[in-house]
Amino acid sequence: MVRTLRNAVERDAVHHAYLFVGSRGTGKTSLAKILAACLNCERGRTVDPCGQCASCVSIAEARSLDVIEMDAASNNSVEDIRELRDSVAFAPLSGRTKVYILDEAHMLSTAAWNAFLKTLEEPPRNTVFVLATTEAQKVPPTVVDRCHRFDFQRPSIEQVATVLRRAVEAEALTVAQEAIAAIARAASGSFRDALGSLEQLITYSSGEITLADTLAVLGVSDFDLLQRTLRAVAAGDVKEIFNAIADCAGSGRDLVVLASDLEGRARDLIAVQVLQQVPPELSLTPDLDEALLSEASVLPQHSLIRLLDLLASATEAVKAGADTRTQLELALLKAARPELDPSIQALLTRVERLERTIGGAAQRGETARAAADRAADRGAQPEQAQQRDTAEAAEMGAQPEQAQQTDMAEAAEMGAQPEQAQQTDMAEAAEMGAQPEQAQQTDRTEQPQRGDLPQAHDRFALISDLWPGVIDLVRARNALLGAVIADGRPTGLAGDVLSISFPQSCSFSKKKAEDPSCKALVRDAIAELAGIHPTLRYQLSDAEEHGEEQEQDGVHATDQSSEDSHQEDLVKRIIAEFEAEELPPEDAPRPREHQRGG
């Protein structure tokens, strides 16, 4: 933008209309005034106005008669545009060029744009229009076509901090670098907001502006509170989470701001983890950058992603009228304790934690098995393999007794007694060094155990435990069916037939769930989570019976005759109340009078 406008001024090729587009506080109006000063400086057209002549001073103080600034938000009628169109016909008073700056130009009405279009297309000589807007999509295309458009980008945090430091030096202020960084971060890419906050802090503070003063005035959460909260979430420390929220609420800070700051902090940590460094737009001070890197190395990425999802849901609930503190505490509690959350994401988080827990033991087991396989490939006897392992342990600087104690300690950590670990090692050695006959006997012994399927009651218990996750998965794919399935719950598994009971008051939900496509969706969800492909059977039960379970041969099942009687009673009740007629099944032979030609 600067290069284009410089060349236009130097070559005397300034366009008659410009469209400045950008978010608030990015310098659109300021650049328009600088352009006006370049065109009306008493030293002639220049890209470096002096700023000292009468024309430059009057433009800077917004009292120049040749630079007319108009707020289109409050002057958006046809009459206002007609007055502007009449004033355009007059020549400049003290300068060489009349500059009209229309701020918030998108607020003009359609009739006002139509009245202004001809003047904008063919203005008088030595007249320049600058239209500034934050929403370019609301400006008519016929207007955009007649303007040179410039898009203002949001400045980075470091660029805003540079402007703040320049203002601090010009005003001879004493401001801590951490405070400047906090102001720049809270400005959200707006120079005007940053300078306004600095002006407010000058009034608030009597001397040096510290980080504590800045946080108190801006009302943002400090870095220590955010770090404390996120570390408590990663460690699963629910007590610390509640204490942090209580401290924030007790200090008078808005909990909505805390939730927003936690979202921003989690996003920054994910960016640092992905890039393996602090990007320039997040860099504040060396100390804060080092703290950000350290925190990113501690918090798992999947936990941060799930925290973002939970905070987004909490924010939506707050917008719907829920209590802010309750929703924030609930979101952080679910993030810290996935076992309290029945959703699928929580289940995946628990699985990932379990994998990390047993990852070290599995890696040690793989190393031991690899060493045993190498010994078996070389045809060594168990005694020779044991001697070789002892020699390798000695090479690593460990005594055989110490190695044995280490193995026993590791086995004890994994939940096995030393004797059990020793028996397991002897069994593995027998498998690797046994004769073919022994190996064949071992295979015959273990083969039935490997082929056994889980018992029916184990599969039913698995489905019951995962049922909340099944509902969430179905709801994610079909919101209506998810709401319908939430009314039922599994009550029995007989063979491959899974019984799902609905209360008598939810007969509509049962009928909707019996649709073949709905059944297929529920069955796919169960198969995806539990690895079981059951045949679904829906039934109605009384309120009392809905909470009871009958156990038969180790399997919870509902009596079929009871279900048939309930259905017959329901049909009779419908026929009696609505004077209805029961139609025969579709596959039953129809009466002769209803057949074709009868």
Side-chain angles (χ1 to χ4, degrees):
M1 287 186 295
V2 172
R3 179 179 178 180
T4 304
L5 293 177
R6 277 179 175 271
N7 293 338
V9 172
E10 290 175 350
R11 300 172 186 176
D12 195 14
V14 177
H15 197 257
H16 65 273
Y18 291 97
L19 178 63
F20 289 172
V21 180
S23 58
R24 58 183 180 83
T26 52
K28 301 183 295 296
T29 306
S30 299
L31 186 59
K33 292 181 178 180
I34 294 174
L35 177 62
C38 293
L39 298 176
N40 291 310
C41 183
E42 293 181 357
R43 298 182 182 180
R45 290 198 173 191
T46 175
V47 295
D48 296 315
C50 64
Q52 299 176 355
C53 63
S55 177
C56 291
V57 172
S58 62
I59 292 175
E61 295 178 354
R63 53 182 179 84
S64 174
L65 298 178
D66 293 329
V67 179
I68 299 93
E69 185 175 358
M70 173 180 171
D71 182 17
S74 56
N75 301 277
N76 56 2
S77 63
V78 178
E79 289 74 12
D80 296 325
I81 295 300
R82 287 174 179 172
E83 293 179 3
L84 183 148
R85 187 178 58 187
D86 294 339
S87 66
V88 168
F90 296 101
L93 296 178
S94 58
R96 291 178 297 276
T97 305
K98 293 183 68 175
V99 180
Y100 287 87
I101 304 175
L102 271 70
D103 199 9
E104 301 297 333
H106 63 276
M107 298 296 292
L108 289 177
S109 62
T110 303
W113 279 121
N114 294 333
F116 183 54
L117 189 60
K118 187 63 176 178
T119 303
L120 182 67
E121 183 178 7
E122 297 178 358
R125 188 173 179 272
N126 296 330
T127 300
V128 176
F129 291 99
V130 179
L131 311 181
T133 178
T134 58
E135 301 181 26
Q137 70 276 5
K138 294 184 178 180
V139 179
T142 53
V143 175
V144 178
D145 293 341
R146 290 164 172 78
C147 301
H148 284 183
R149 174 171 174 169
F150 294 95
D151 290 293
F152 287 67
Q153 304 296 329
R154 280 181 177 269
S156 64
I157 296 178
E158 183 57 34
Q159 290 173 334
V160 176
T162 301
V163 174
L164 289 174
R165 295 188 188 98
R166 188 170 62 205
V168 167
E169 293 177 359
E171 298 293 336
L173 301 174
T174 303
V175 183
Q177 292 298 321
E178 293 80 3
I180 292 179
I183 297 173
R185 186 65 181 274
S188 300
S190 173
F191 291 114
R192 181 172 62 242
D193 291 353
L195 294 174
S197 299
L198 179 61
E199 183 179 3
Q200 186 178 0
L201 282 167
I202 294 174
T203 307
Y204 174 82
S205 178
S206 57
E208 179 182 1
I209 299 177
T210 62
L211 178 61
D213 296 337
T214 304
L215 297 177
V217 171
L218 298 180
V220 299
S221 305
D222 55 28
F223 302 106
D224 293 336
L225 178 62
L226 297 178
Q227 185 178 16
R228 171 187 172 189
T229 305
L230 290 176
R231 286 185 179 273
V233 170
D237 191 348
V238 178
K239 181 179 179 180
E240 182 65 17
I241 290 174
F242 277 79
N243 290 335
I245 295 178
D247 294 342
C248 181
S251 62
R253 298 173 184 172
D254 191 355
L255 293 180
V256 176
V257 177
L258 175 60
S260 177
D261 292 341
L262 285 173
E263 283 186 334
R265 187 69 170 180
R267 183 265 169 195
D268 295 345
L269 291 175
I270 293 176
V272 172
Q273 290 175 350
V274 172
L275 301 176
Q276 298 296 321
Q277 62 179 359
V278 179
E281 64 270 14
L282 300 181
S283 180
L284 297 177
T285 62
D287 295 338
L288 294 178
D289 293 349
E290 185 65 27
L292 190 63
L293 283 170
S294 175
E295 192 172 352
S297 62
V298 174
L299 297 173
Q301 186 174 357
H302 67 88
S303 298
L304 294 173
I305 294 175
R306 183 165 178 268
L307 176 61
L308 287 175
D309 292 337
L310 292 172
L311 289 175
S313 301
T315 303
E316 291 296 329
V318 170
K319 291 180 180 179
D323 180 67
T324 304
R325 181 166 182 172
T326 301
Q327 293 300 320
L328 181 57
E329 290 174 345
L330 181 61
L332 296 179
L333 179 61
K334 288 182 178 180
R337 295 287 182 85
E339 61 271 13
L340 301 179
D341 188 1
S343 64
I344 301 174
Q345 291 79 6
L347 178 62
L348 295 176
T349 301
R350 289 152 59 185
V351 171
E352 290 177 358
R353 285 187 177 181
L354 181 60
E355 289 178 348
R356 290 198 309 272
T357 302
I358 67 175
Q363 185 176 4
R364 290 192 296 269
E366 290 291 340
T367 304
R369 281 192 293 271
D373 290 340
R374 289 195 300 269
D377 292 339
R378 291 193 293 267
Q381 298 297 325
E383 294 78 8
Q384 297 176 356
Q386 184 176 4
Q387 294 176 1
R388 189 176 295 106
D389 294 338
T390 304
E392 291 178 357
E395 291 178 359
M396 291 185 292
Q399 298 296 330
E401 294 78 9
Q402 296 176 354
Q404 184 177 3
Q405 292 175 1
T406 303
D407 294 339
M408 294 174 63
E410 292 177 354
E413 291 178 0
M414 292 184 289
Q417 298 297 328
E419 293 79 8
Q420 298 176 354
Q422 185 176 3
Q423 293 175 2
T424 303
D425 295 338
M426 293 175 63
E428 292 178 354
E431 290 180 2
M432 293 182 294
Q435 299 298 326
E437 294 80 7
Q438 297 176 353
Q440 186 174 4
Q441 292 177 1
T442 302
D443 294 338
R444 286 197 300 265
T445 303
E446 295 182 354
Q447 186 173 0
Q449 297 178 359
R450 295 175 183 172
D452 286 345
L453 295 175
Q455 296 297 325
H457 66 274
D458 294 336
R459 290 186 292 160
F460 177 75
L462 178 61
I463 295 175
S464 299
D465 292 340
L466 295 178
W467 186 247
V470 172
I471 295 175
D472 289 344
L473 185 56
V474 172
R475 184 182 290 114
R477 297 173 179 175
N478 189 323
L480 177 60
L481 180 58
V484 167
I485 292 298
D487 294 332
R489 70 179 185 88
T491 56
L493 181 64
D496 291 334
V497 179
L498 176 64
S499 299
I500 299 177
S501 297
F502 290 84
Q504 288 287 347
S505 59
C506 299
S507 58
F508 173 79
S509 299
K510 172 182 173 294
K511 182 178 179 181
K512 179 64 178 176
E514 287 176 342
D515 184 84
S517 60
C518 296
K519 273 191 173 183
L521 191 59
V522 176
R523 185 169 56 250
D524 293 342
I526 296 174
E528 184 174 342
L529 294 181
I532 302 173
H533 300 266
T535 300
L536 302 180
R537 186 185 67 182
Y538 299 114
Q539 59 189 17
L540 292 174
S541 63
D542 295 334
E544 295 80 4
E545 295 176 355
H546 191 66
E548 299 176 356
E549 296 178 357
Q550 298 179 358
E551 187 170 338
Q552 180 179 0
D553 296 334
V555 180
H556 295 272
T558 305
D559 190 9
Q560 180 66 30
S561 61
S562 176
E563 177 192 359
D564 295 338
S565 63
H566 282 303
Q567 292 181 354
E568 292 177 0
D569 294 341
L570 181 61
V571 171
K572 292 179 180 179
R573 189 187 309 169
I574 293 176
I575 293 175
E577 292 182 0
F578 298 97
E579 298 181 357
E581 178 183 356
E582 184 176 2
L583 297 178
E586 295 182 358
D587 54 353
R590 298 183 179 181
R592 181 176 300 274
E593 60 272 12
H594 293 287
Q595 296 180 359
R596 185 182 298 274

